[in-house]
PDB file of all heavy atoms in Angstrom:
ATOM      1  N   PRO A  22      -1.427  32.880 -20.245  1.00 90.00           N
ATOM      2  CA  PRO A  22      -2.170  33.758 -21.040  1.00 90.00           C
ATOM      3  C   PRO A  22      -1.856  35.241 -20.691  1.00 90.00           C
ATOM      4  O   PRO A  22      -2.025  36.128 -21.547  1.00 90.00           O
ATOM      5  CB  PRO A  22      -3.592  33.436 -20.766  1.00 90.00           C
ATOM      6  CG  PRO A  22      -3.639  32.802 -19.405  1.00 90.00           C
ATOM      7  CD  PRO A  22      -2.346  32.001 -19.362  1.00 90.00           C
ATOM      8  N   THR A  23      -1.383  35.471 -19.509  1.00 90.00           N
ATOM      9  CA  THR A  23      -1.050  36.802 -19.165  1.00 90.00           C
ATOM     10  C   THR A  23       0.042  37.455 -20.033  1.00 90.00           C
ATOM     11  O   THR A  23       0.112  38.690 -20.295  1.00 90.00           O
ATOM     12  CB  THR A  23      -0.551  36.891 -17.622  1.00 90.00           C
ATOM     13  OG1 THR A  23      -1.582  36.290 -16.793  1.00 90.00           O
ATOM     14  CG2 THR A  23      -0.312  38.318 -17.185  1.00 90.00           C
ATOM     15  N   PRO A  38       3.676  32.584 -33.921  1.00 97.00           N
ATOM     16  CA  PRO A  38       4.990  32.931 -34.612  1.00 97.00           C
ATOM     17  C   PRO A  38       4.998  34.179 -35.493  1.00 97.00           C
ATOM     18  O   PRO A  38       6.038  34.560 -35.973  1.00 97.00           O
ATOM     19  CB  PRO A  38       5.255  31.583 -35.495  1.00 97.00           C
ATOM     20  CG  PRO A  38       3.838  31.093 -35.781  1.00 97.00           C
ATOM     21  CD  PRO A  38       3.047  31.430 -34.562  1.00 97.00           C
ATOM     22  N   VAL A  51      19.106  28.457 -20.549  1.00 93.00           N
ATOM     23  CA  VAL A  51      18.214  27.893 -19.533  1.00 93.00           C
ATOM     24  C   VAL A  51      17.308  29.018 -18.903  1.00 93.00           C
ATOM     25  O   VAL A  51      16.140  28.773 -18.728  1.00 93.00           O
ATOM     26  CB  VAL A  51      19.033  27.183 -18.419  1.00 93.00           C
ATOM     27  CG1 VAL A  51      18.070  26.681 -17.427  1.00 93.00           C
ATOM     28  CG2 VAL A  51      19.850  26.042 -18.994  1.00 93.00           C
ATOM     29  N   GLY A  92     -13.647  17.664  -1.991  1.00 84.00           N
ATOM     30  CA  GLY A  92     -13.449  18.370  -3.250  1.00 84.00           C
ATOM     31  C   GLY A  92     -13.320  17.571  -4.530  1.00 84.00           C
ATOM     32  O   GLY A  92     -13.077  18.159  -5.515  1.00 84.00           O
ATOM     33  N   ARG A 104       7.991  24.198 -20.510  1.00 95.00           N
ATOM     34  CA  ARG A 104       9.094  24.410 -21.482  1.00 95.00           C
ATOM     35  C   ARG A 104      10.240  25.213 -20.877  1.00 95.00           C
ATOM     36  O   ARG A 104       9.974  26.172 -20.208  1.00 95.00           O
ATOM     37  CB  ARG A 104       8.447  25.342 -22.634  1.00 95.00           C
ATOM     38  CG  ARG A 104       9.396  25.703 -23.731  1.00 95.00           C
ATOM     39  CD  ARG A 104       8.942  26.820 -24.647  1.00 95.00           C
ATOM     40  NE  ARG A 104       7.934  26.334 -25.677  1.00 95.00           N
ATOM     41  CZ  ARG A 104       6.611  26.539 -25.542  1.00 95.00           C
ATOM     42  NH1 ARG A 104       6.202  27.355 -24.536  1.00 95.00           N
ATOM     43  NH2 ARG A 104       5.780  26.103 -26.421  1.00 95.00           N
ATOM     44  N   SER A 152     -12.486   2.156 -12.380  1.00 87.00           N
ATOM     45  CA  SER A 152     -12.091   2.157 -13.765  1.00 87.00           C
ATOM     46  C   SER A 152     -11.535   3.407 -14.241  1.00 87.00           C
ATOM     47  O   SER A 152     -11.561   4.456 -13.506  1.00 87.00           O
ATOM     48  CB  SER A 152     -13.289   1.813 -14.645  1.00 87.00           C
ATOM     49  OG  SER A 152     -14.308   2.833 -14.522  1.00 87.00           O
ATOM     50  N   VAL A 156      -2.260   7.469 -16.220  1.00 89.00           N
ATOM     51  CA  VAL A 156      -1.152   8.355 -16.041  1.00 89.00           C
ATOM     52  C   VAL A 156      -0.225   8.263 -17.238  1.00 89.00           C
ATOM     53  O   VAL A 156       0.185   7.215 -17.593  1.00 89.00           O
ATOM     54  CB  VAL A 156      -0.407   8.017 -14.709  1.00 89.00           C
ATOM     55  CG1 VAL A 156       0.744   9.021 -14.592  1.00 89.00           C
ATOM     56  CG2 VAL A 156      -1.244   8.075 -13.515  1.00 89.00           C
ATOM     57  N   LEU A 173       0.276  42.785 -47.613  1.00 94.00           N
ATOM     58  CA  LEU A 173      -0.789  43.752 -47.742  1.00 94.00           C
ATOM     59  C   LEU A 173      -0.353  45.047 -47.089  1.00 94.00           C
ATOM     60  O   LEU A 173      -0.892  45.639 -46.166  1.00 94.00           O
ATOM     61  CB  LEU A 173      -2.037  43.302 -46.972  1.00 94.00           C
ATOM     62  CG  LEU A 173      -2.635  41.915 -47.481  1.00 94.00           C
ATOM     63  CD1 LEU A 173      -3.862  41.579 -46.706  1.00 94.00           C
ATOM     64  CD2 LEU A 173      -3.005  42.077 -48.912  1.00 94.00           C
ATOM     65  N   ASP A 224      14.350  -1.723 -21.173  1.00 86.00           N
ATOM     66  CA  ASP A 224      14.234  -3.135 -21.104  1.00 86.00           C
ATOM     67  C   ASP A 224      13.714  -3.422 -19.671  1.00 86.00           C
ATOM     68  O   ASP A 224      13.540  -2.563 -18.858  1.00 86.00           O
ATOM     69  CB  ASP A 224      15.564  -3.758 -21.288  1.00 86.00           C
ATOM     70  CG  ASP A 224      15.488  -5.269 -21.723  1.00 86.00           C
ATOM     71  OD1 ASP A 224      14.408  -5.865 -21.654  1.00 86.00           O
ATOM     72  OD2 ASP A 224      16.441  -5.885 -22.158  1.00 86.00           O
ATOM     73  N   PRO A 244      18.230   9.169 -28.618  1.00 92.00           N
ATOM     74  CA  PRO A 244      16.743   9.529 -28.618  1.00 92.00           C
ATOM     75  C   PRO A 244      15.919   8.316 -28.782  1.00 92.00           C
ATOM     76  O   PRO A 244      16.290   7.306 -29.407  1.00 92.00           O
ATOM     77  CB  PRO A 244      16.628  10.406 -29.869  1.00 92.00           C
ATOM     78  CG  PRO A 244      18.057  11.029 -30.101  1.00 92.00           C
ATOM     79  CD  PRO A 244      19.017   9.908 -29.679  1.00 92.00           C
ATOM     80  N   THR A 256      -1.169  38.045 -37.793  1.00 97.00           N
ATOM     81  CA  THR A 256      -1.682  39.119 -37.136  1.00 97.00           C
ATOM     82  C   THR A 256      -2.178  40.049 -38.284  1.00 97.00           C
ATOM     83  O   THR A 256      -1.584  40.206 -39.297  1.00 97.00           O
ATOM     84  CB  THR A 256      -0.635  39.866 -36.308  1.00 97.00           C
ATOM     85  OG1 THR A 256       0.377  40.419 -37.232  1.00 97.00           O
ATOM     86  CG2 THR A 256      -0.045  38.965 -35.326  1.00 97.00           C
ATOM     87  N   VAL A 312       2.581  -6.323  -6.394  1.00 61.00           N
ATOM     88  CA  VAL A 312       1.744  -7.435  -6.609  1.00 61.00           C
ATOM     89  C   VAL A 312       1.105  -7.430  -8.047  1.00 61.00           C
ATOM     90  O   VAL A 312       0.604  -8.353  -8.498  1.00 61.00           O
ATOM     91  CB  VAL A 312       0.601  -7.677  -5.587  1.00 61.00           C
ATOM     92  CG1 VAL A 312       1.204  -7.784  -4.245  1.00 61.00           C
ATOM     93  CG2 VAL A 312      -0.377  -6.417  -5.548  1.00 61.00           C
ATOM     94  N   SER A 366      -7.443  41.233 -20.673  1.00 96.00           N
ATOM     95  CA  SER A 366      -6.136  41.902 -20.054  1.00 96.00           C
ATOM     96  C   SER A 366      -6.117  43.371 -20.288  1.00 96.00           C
ATOM     97  O   SER A 366      -6.743  43.855 -21.310  1.00 96.00           O
ATOM     98  CB  SER A 366      -4.873  41.282 -20.676  1.00 96.00           C
ATOM     99  OG  SER A 366      -4.690  41.659 -21.967  1.00 96.00           O
ATOM    100  N   THR A 376       6.493  47.453 -19.874  1.00 94.00           N
ATOM    101  CA  THR A 376       5.073  47.074 -19.919  1.00 94.00           C
ATOM    102  C   THR A 376       4.683  46.285 -18.607  1.00 94.00           C
ATOM    103  O   THR A 376       5.376  45.437 -18.241  1.00 94.00           O
ATOM    104  CB  THR A 376       4.806  46.149 -21.174  1.00 94.00           C
ATOM    105  OG1 THR A 376       5.281  46.823 -22.330  1.00 94.00           O
ATOM    106  CG2 THR A 376       3.340  45.858 -21.299  1.00 94.00           C
ATOM    107  N   THR A 416      -1.789  28.823   0.471  1.00 66.00           N
ATOM    108  CA  THR A 416      -1.238  28.308   1.790  1.00 66.00           C
ATOM    109  C   THR A 416       0.119  29.025   2.061  1.00 66.00           C
ATOM    110  O   THR A 416       0.677  29.677   1.203  1.00 66.00           O
ATOM    111  CB  THR A 416      -1.061  26.817   1.858  1.00 66.00           C
ATOM    112  OG1 THR A 416      -0.016  26.471   0.876  1.00 66.00           O
ATOM    113  CG2 THR A 416      -2.437  26.117   1.358  1.00 66.00           C
ATOM    114  N   TYR A 448       6.514  53.511 -32.160  1.00 48.00           N
ATOM    115  CA  TYR A 448       7.154  54.194 -31.143  1.00 48.00           C
ATOM    116  C   TYR A 448       8.246  55.129 -31.761  1.00 48.00           C
ATOM    117  O   TYR A 448       8.702  54.906 -32.964  1.00 48.00           O
ATOM    118  CB  TYR A 448       7.725  53.295 -30.115  1.00 48.00           C
ATOM    119  CG  TYR A 448       6.725  52.360 -29.583  1.00 48.00           C
ATOM    120  CD1 TYR A 448       6.767  51.009 -29.978  1.00 48.00           C
ATOM    121  CD2 TYR A 448       5.724  52.713 -28.807  1.00 48.00           C
ATOM    122  CE1 TYR A 448       5.828  50.152 -29.539  1.00 48.00           C
ATOM    123  CE2 TYR A 448       4.770  51.810 -28.313  1.00 48.00           C
ATOM    124  CZ  TYR A 448       4.771  50.507 -28.703  1.00 48.00           C
ATOM    125  OH  TYR A 448       3.894  49.604 -28.306  1.00 48.00           O
ATOM    126  N   ALA A 453      20.137  56.357 -33.290  1.00 43.00           N
ATOM    127  CA  ALA A 453      21.214  55.420 -33.373  1.00 43.00           C
ATOM    128  C   ALA A 453      20.742  53.951 -33.395  1.00 43.00           C
ATOM    129  O   ALA A 453      21.442  52.989 -33.855  1.00 43.00           O
ATOM    130  CB  ALA A 453      22.199  55.565 -32.293  1.00 43.00           C
TER     131      ALA A 453
END
Side-chain angles (χ1 to χ4, degrees):
T23 304
V51 180
R104 177 193 285 109
S152 60
V156 179
L173 302 179
D224 204 347
T256 66
V312 302
S366 70
T376 304
T416 69
Y448 309 106

